Amino acid sequence: MDARIVKLQEIENRFQEINELMLKDEIVSDVKKYTKLSKEQASLKAAYDAYQDLKKYQQIIADGEEMLKDEDEEIRSMAEMEVNDAREKLEKLDERIEELLLPRDPEDSYDCLVEIRGAAGGDEGNIFAGDLFRMYSYYADSLGYKVEVMESSESEAGGYALISFAVKGNDAYRHFKFESGAHRVQRVPKTETQGRVHTSTATVIVFPDVEDEDVEINEADLEIETHRASGAGGQHINKTDSAVRIVHKPTGITVNCQDGRNQIANKETAMRIIKARVYDYYKQQKLEEEGAIRLSKIGRGDRSEKIRTYNYPQNRVSDHRIGLTINQLDRIMEGKLDDIVNALLENEAKEKLLNGNL
């Protein structure tokens, strides 16, 4: 039997098994288990649906070939049209299935944490960081995802010196993982009196929002302290030591959260961010120790790599990793990122095919 059919049958069986599991009272009452199964099923749905279409077209062809033997010329003519149409659809579907059966990044189905920092360009870099946050918020909304701000440091001139937020939804990490890197903006700042175009940057890091079992953190390795929140955040948090700073001593990773309404909320948020950052730190370290050669940096979080340029005077955005240029920057900044993300996903699939990762 074709190896692809075997794989599709396995996906179909698991999809149906999850359907049955999600009807059980003990699963319905356990939010964590139910959510995990729901995400797994969502990750299988495209391949499951493709297999149902495959079987449908194959059946149409089989039935049509029988009808081609009929004595009635009109029936034979109709059958020939149906068979040809089904074969054409089946040919396109075969290409789709080949992509769907490529091994998925196991982190693709996770929620994600996104961190944006204003970098080169001073105030303009911070303002651009705010623009990127707005762009990502609109994009997340278009996909039906929820955005939750976790940590922020507003800039006096506007935008953010730093803003961290969670994006929640099926395959959230898959749609945001390519955004890690340096984003460059070219435009005339509001403070520029001579009308000159300035170049500024903001950096983006995207982490999978890992499960507890994905990363083990020893409590003894954490240094946790509370302090009085500062800056814009609401007077209610400035009256008590509600802000929480956590340091992971082995890696030196530090997280400071003060935007929550109380100390408990800030500690929970800080722990989520610490887990994601520590997980990413050790993952990158492991790849380096193993001497892993990554054929592409796309989606792998190379912090210094300039990945995209946003040119306002020419209404143009260019993704330098795949040589993609779109002359609709205004649409992109309104969250219409599908063309860019889909092109990056297609590039990822092509790389896997070229490397024989089927």
Side-chain angles (χ1 to χ4, degrees):
M1 186 182 288
D2 186 338
R4 295 194 311 166
I5 298 300
V6 172
K7 182 63 178 175
L8 287 168
Q9 287 177 342
E10 291 174 356
I11 289 171
E12 180 182 58
N13 292 338
R14 179 56 180 164
F15 189 91
Q16 292 171 345
E17 181 186 10
I18 292 173
N19 263 344
E20 294 174 7
L21 287 170
M22 291 174 70
L23 293 173
K24 294 185 176 182
D25 291 340
E26 60 267 31
I27 298 295
V28 174
S29 60
D30 189 323
V31 176
K32 192 171 182 179
K33 284 184 180 178
Y34 189 89
T35 301
K36 193 168 185 178
L37 284 171
S38 179
K39 286 186 175 183
E40 183 186 352
Q41 188 180 57
S43 72
L44 299 174
K45 191 175 188 310
Y48 173 84
D49 289 344
Y51 186 39
Q52 306 316 303
D53 287 340
L54 174 68
K55 291 190 289 185
K56 179 180 72 176
Y57 297 142
Q58 287 178 334
Q59 189 61 53
I60 289 172
I61 291 170
D63 293 342
E65 287 177 341
E66 283 299 313
M67 292 170 66
L68 286 172
K69 301 173 185 177
D70 198 282
E71 294 179 358
D72 189 315
E73 185 179 346
E74 190 175 338
I75 289 178
R76 291 200 306 271
S77 178
M78 186 183 302
E80 186 177 6
M81 288 176 60
E82 290 182 353
V83 168
N84 288 339
D85 180 61
R87 281 177 176 157
E88 191 176 313
K89 289 178 177 175
L90 198 57
E91 189 176 336
K92 292 179 181 176
L93 186 62
D94 278 342
E95 295 176 9
R96 170 78 172 141
I97 286 173
E98 190 172 19
E99 290 185 8
L100 289 170
L101 291 183
L102 288 170
R104 279 173 60 95
D105 184 335
E107 297 163 355
D108 274 0
S109 62
Y110 285 15
D111 295 338
C112 66
L113 306 182
V114 184
E115 179 183 289
I116 308 173
R117 291 179 183 271
D123 288 342
E124 180 63 11
N126 293 338
I127 292 169
F128 183 51
D131 293 338
L132 289 177
F133 171 62
R134 178 174 172 272
M135 177 184 77
Y136 291 138
S137 296
Y138 283 152
Y139 178 55
D141 185 61
S142 74
L143 294 171
Y145 296 160
K146 292 182 179 178
V147 171
E148 172 194 333
V149 175
M150 305 179 75
E151 181 184 9
S152 67
S153 176
E154 294 183 10
S155 167
E156 289 184 8
Y160 300 92
L162 161 70
I163 183 162
S164 296
F165 56 97
V167 182
K168 300 180 179 181
N170 290 328
D171 281 359
Y173 182 69
R174 180 172 184 260
H175 286 92
F176 278 82
K177 65 182 179 180
F178 303 116
E179 298 305 303
S180 288
H183 295 243
R184 182 175 69 173
V185 62
Q186 295 173 326
R187 64 185 177 189
V188 179
K190 294 177 182 177
T191 54
E192 170 58 53
T193 58
Q194 303 296 319
R196 292 172 298 187
V197 173
H198 289 224
T199 297
S200 307
T201 60
T203 59
V204 177
I205 305 176
V206 182
F207 305 101
D209 191 3
V210 294
E211 305 285 350
D212 289 341
E213 58 264 29
D214 293 324
V215 56
E216 186 175 338
I217 295 182
N218 190 330
E219 289 285 338
D221 289 337
L222 299 178
E223 183 178 294
I224 303 175
E225 62 181 47
T226 60
H227 61 96
R228 191 72 51 92
S230 60
Q235 292 183 355
H236 63 280
I237 63 172
N238 292 324
K239 296 176 181 176
T240 60
D241 290 345
S242 59
V244 175
R245 182 182 293 108
I246 300 180
V247 179
H248 183 251
K249 289 182 283 189
T251 62
I253 294 171
T254 302
V255 173
N256 183 69
C257 288
Q258 64 178 39
D259 290 347
R261 295 193 65 86
N262 54 52
Q263 189 181 113
I264 294 174
N266 283 323
K267 184 178 179 182
E268 289 176 352
T269 297
M271 281 302 300
R272 273 179 70 190
I273 298 174
I274 277 284
K275 284 177 182 177
R277 289 184 181 173
V278 169
Y279 173 85
D280 181 73
Y281 177 90
Y282 286 122
K283 181 176 75 172
Q284 300 299 334
Q285 189 179 69
K286 184 179 179 182
L287 286 171
E288 290 172 10
E289 287 174 355
E290 292 173 350
I293 300 173
R294 286 172 280 170
L295 298 178
S296 172
K297 292 179 181 177
I298 295 176
R300 298 305 174 197
D302 190 319
R303 317 308 189 227
S304 61
E305 182 192 12
K306 181 186 70 180
I307 65 166
R308 199 174 295 149
T309 295
Y310 305 74
N311 187 302
Y312 275 74
Q314 298 178 25
N315 195 35
R316 184 184 69 220
V317 60
S318 301
D319 195 288
H320 307 296
R321 297 163 295 181
I322 55 175
L324 175 68
T325 294
I326 298 175
N327 293 308
Q328 294 180 319
L329 175 57
D330 50 346
R331 290 183 69 257
I332 298 297
M333 298 311 294
E334 290 300 316
K336 307 294 194 301
L337 283 170
D338 295 292
D339 288 344
I340 295 177
V341 174
N342 289 339
L344 288 161
L345 285 169
E346 286 173 14
N347 186 80
E348 180 185 55
K350 286 177 183 176
E351 286 188 345
K352 287 179 179 179
L353 285 169
L354 285 172
N355 291 309
N357 291 328
L358 188 61

mmCIF file of all heavy atoms in Angstrom, residues 140-158:
data_model
loop_
_atom_site.group_PDB
_atom_site.id
_atom_site.type_symbol
_atom_site.label_atom_id
_atom_site.label_comp_id
_atom_site.label_asym_id
_atom_site.label_seq_id
_atom_site.Cartn_x
_atom_site.Cartn_y
_atom_site.Cartn_z
ATOM 1 N N ALA A 140 -3.465 38.949 14.229
ATOM 2 C CA ALA A 140 -3.977 37.929 15.146
ATOM 3 C C ALA A 140 -5.506 37.934 15.151
ATOM 4 O O ALA A 140 -6.152 36.877 15.115
ATOM 5 C CB ALA A 140 -3.437 38.170 16.560
ATOM 6 N N ASP A 141 -6.092 39.118 15.167
ATOM 7 C CA ASP A 141 -7.547 39.244 15.167
ATOM 8 C C ASP A 141 -8.149 38.647 13.898
ATOM 9 O O ASP A 141 -9.188 37.992 13.937
ATOM 10 C CB ASP A 141 -7.939 40.719 15.296
ATOM 11 C CG ASP A 141 -9.441 40.906 15.437
ATOM 12 O OD1 ASP A 141 -10.018 40.387 16.414
ATOM 13 O OD2 ASP A 141 -10.053 41.552 14.563
ATOM 14 N N SER A 142 -7.476 38.839 12.751
ATOM 15 C CA SER A 142 -7.989 38.313 11.478
ATOM 16 C C SER A 142 -7.993 36.790 11.461
ATOM 17 O O SER A 142 -8.750 36.166 10.709
ATOM 18 C CB SER A 142 -7.149 38.837 10.304
ATOM 19 O OG SER A 142 -5.875 38.202 10.243
ATOM 20 N N LEU A 143 -7.140 36.168 12.297
ATOM 21 C CA LEU A 143 -7.061 34.713 12.374
ATOM 22 C C LEU A 143 -7.919 34.150 13.507
ATOM 23 O O LEU A 143 -7.948 32.939 13.731
ATOM 24 C CB LEU A 143 -5.605 34.281 12.598
ATOM 25 C CG LEU A 143 -4.634 34.582 11.440
ATOM 26 C CD1 LEU A 143 -3.200 34.306 11.882
ATOM 27 C CD2 LEU A 143 -4.973 33.757 10.218
ATOM 28 N N GLY A 144 -8.601 35.052 14.216
ATOM 29 C CA GLY A 144 -9.436 34.616 15.323
ATOM 30 C C GLY A 144 -8.661 34.338 16.593
ATOM 31 O O GLY A 144 -9.151 33.672 17.505
ATOM 32 N N TYR A 145 -7.430 34.855 16.675
ATOM 33 C CA TYR A 145 -6.599 34.652 17.852
ATOM 34 C C TYR A 145 -6.856 35.756 18.884
ATOM 35 O O TYR A 145 -7.341 36.829 18.551
ATOM 36 C CB TYR A 145 -5.107 34.680 17.491
ATOM 37 C CG TYR A 145 -4.657 33.574 16.564
ATOM 38 C CD1 TYR A 145 -3.479 33.699 15.836
ATOM 39 C CD2 TYR A 145 -5.389 32.398 16.425
ATOM 40 C CE1 TYR A 145 -3.040 32.679 14.989
ATOM 41 C CE2 TYR A 145 -4.962 31.389 15.582
ATOM 42 C CZ TYR A 145 -3.788 31.529 14.865
ATOM 43 O OH TYR A 145 -3.346 30.532 14.034
ATOM 44 N N LYS A 146 -6.463 35.476 20.118
ATOM 45 C CA LYS A 146 -6.573 36.463 21.199
ATOM 46 C C LYS A 146 -5.181 36.967 21.557
ATOM 47 O O LYS A 146 -4.222 36.195 21.611
ATOM 48 C CB LYS A 146 -7.235 35.850 22.428
ATOM 49 C CG LYS A 146 -8.709 35.516 22.227
ATOM 50 C CD LYS A 146 -9.317 34.969 23.503
ATOM 51 C CE LYS A 146 -10.798 34.647 23.309
ATOM 52 N NZ LYS A 146 -11.403 34.073 24.543
ATOM 53 N N VAL A 147 -5.071 38.256 21.804
ATOM 54 C CA VAL A 147 -3.801 38.875 22.184
ATOM 55 C C VAL A 147 -3.873 39.327 23.637
ATOM 56 O O VAL A 147 -4.839 39.968 24.042
ATOM 57 C CB VAL A 147 -3.478 40.081 21.277
ATOM 58 C CG1 VAL A 147 -2.269 40.848 21.802
ATOM 59 C CG2 VAL A 147 -3.212 39.618 19.843
ATOM 60 N N GLU A 148 -2.853 38.983 24.404
ATOM 61 C CA GLU A 148 -2.808 39.335 25.831
ATOM 62 C C GLU A 148 -1.465 39.988 26.140
ATOM 63 O O GLU A 148 -0.427 39.339 26.047
ATOM 64 C CB GLU A 148 -2.990 38.060 26.667
ATOM 65 C CG GLU A 148 -2.768 38.241 28.160
ATOM 66 C CD GLU A 148 -2.628 36.901 28.883
ATOM 67 O OE1 GLU A 148 -3.183 35.890 28.406
ATOM 68 O OE2 GLU A 148 -1.941 36.884 29.927
ATOM 69 N N VAL A 149 -1.483 41.280 26.460
ATOM 70 C CA VAL A 149 -0.237 41.975 26.806
ATOM 71 C C VAL A 149 0.272 41.450 28.143
ATOM 72 O O VAL A 149 -0.474 41.355 29.115
ATOM 73 C CB VAL A 149 -0.452 43.507 26.871
ATOM 74 C CG1 VAL A 149 0.824 44.200 27.350
ATOM 75 C CG2 VAL A 149 -0.844 44.040 25.494
ATOM 76 N N MET A 150 1.565 41.118 28.188
ATOM 77 C CA MET A 150 2.128 40.528 29.389
ATOM 78 C C MET A 150 3.129 41.442 30.084
ATOM 79 O O MET A 150 3.263 41.433 31.295
ATOM 80 C CB MET A 150 2.815 39.203 29.030
ATOM 81 C CG MET A 150 1.902 38.217 28.312
ATOM 82 S SD MET A 150 2.727 36.682 27.874
ATOM 83 C CE MET A 150 2.824 35.880 29.465
ATOM 84 N N GLU A 151 3.847 42.217 29.315
ATOM 85 C CA GLU A 151 4.895 43.069 29.872
ATOM 86 C C GLU A 151 5.096 44.236 28.915
ATOM 87 O O GLU A 151 5.134 44.046 27.700
ATOM 88 C CB GLU A 151 6.194 42.245 29.976
ATOM 89 C CG GLU A 151 7.384 42.954 30.560
ATOM 90 C CD GLU A 151 8.639 42.081 30.526
ATOM 91 O OE1 GLU A 151 8.622 41.005 29.899
ATOM 92 O OE2 GLU A 151 9.646 42.514 31.112
ATOM 93 N N SER A 152 5.175 45.454 29.427
ATOM 94 C CA SER A 152 5.361 46.589 28.518
ATOM 95 C C SER A 152 6.092 47.739 29.201
ATOM 96 O O SER A 152 6.012 47.916 30.409
ATOM 97 C CB SER A 152 4.013 47.087 27.982
ATOM 98 O OG SER A 152 3.237 47.661 29.015
ATOM 99 N N SER A 153 6.810 48.486 28.387
ATOM 100 C CA SER A 153 7.493 49.693 28.849
ATOM 101 C C SER A 153 7.265 50.753 27.773
ATOM 102 O O SER A 153 7.896 50.721 26.714
ATOM 103 C CB SER A 153 8.992 49.412 29.035
ATOM 104 O OG SER A 153 9.677 50.601 29.390
ATOM 105 N N GLU A 154 6.332 51.658 28.055
ATOM 106 C CA GLU A 154 5.958 52.653 27.060
ATOM 107 C C GLU A 154 7.048 53.715 26.899
ATOM 108 O O GLU A 154 7.773 54.028 27.831
ATOM 109 C CB GLU A 154 4.637 53.322 27.456
ATOM 110 C CG GLU A 154 3.445 52.373 27.437
ATOM 111 C CD GLU A 154 2.139 53.068 27.773
ATOM 112 O OE1 GLU A 154 2.139 54.314 27.827
ATOM 113 O OE2 GLU A 154 1.127 52.366 27.964
ATOM 114 N N SER A 155 7.135 54.234 25.687
ATOM 115 C CA SER A 155 8.102 55.295 25.385
ATOM 116 C C SER A 155 7.400 56.643 25.481
ATOM 117 O O SER A 155 6.234 56.778 25.089
ATOM 118 C CB SER A 155 8.659 55.093 23.971
ATOM 119 O OG SER A 155 9.363 56.231 23.543
ATOM 120 N N GLU A 156 8.071 57.647 26.007
ATOM 121 C CA GLU A 156 7.474 58.972 26.153
ATOM 122 C C GLU A 156 7.070 59.566 24.813
ATOM 123 O O GLU A 156 6.078 60.276 24.705
ATOM 124 C CB GLU A 156 8.455 59.917 26.860
ATOM 125 C CG GLU A 156 8.660 59.599 28.334
ATOM 126 C CD GLU A 156 9.552 60.620 29.013
ATOM 127 O OE1 GLU A 156 9.889 61.640 28.372
ATOM 128 O OE2 GLU A 156 9.919 60.392 30.178
ATOM 129 N N ALA A 157 7.816 59.233 23.762
ATOM 130 C CA ALA A 157 7.524 59.774 22.439
ATOM 131 C C ALA A 157 6.431 58.988 21.725
ATOM 132 O O ALA A 157 5.970 59.376 20.654
ATOM 133 C CB ALA A 157 8.791 59.781 21.587
ATOM 134 N N GLY A 158 6.011 57.866 22.336
ATOM 135 C CA GLY A 158 5.023 56.986 21.726
ATOM 136 C C GLY A 158 5.633 55.625 21.460
ATOM 137 O O GLY A 158 6.858 55.478 21.393
#
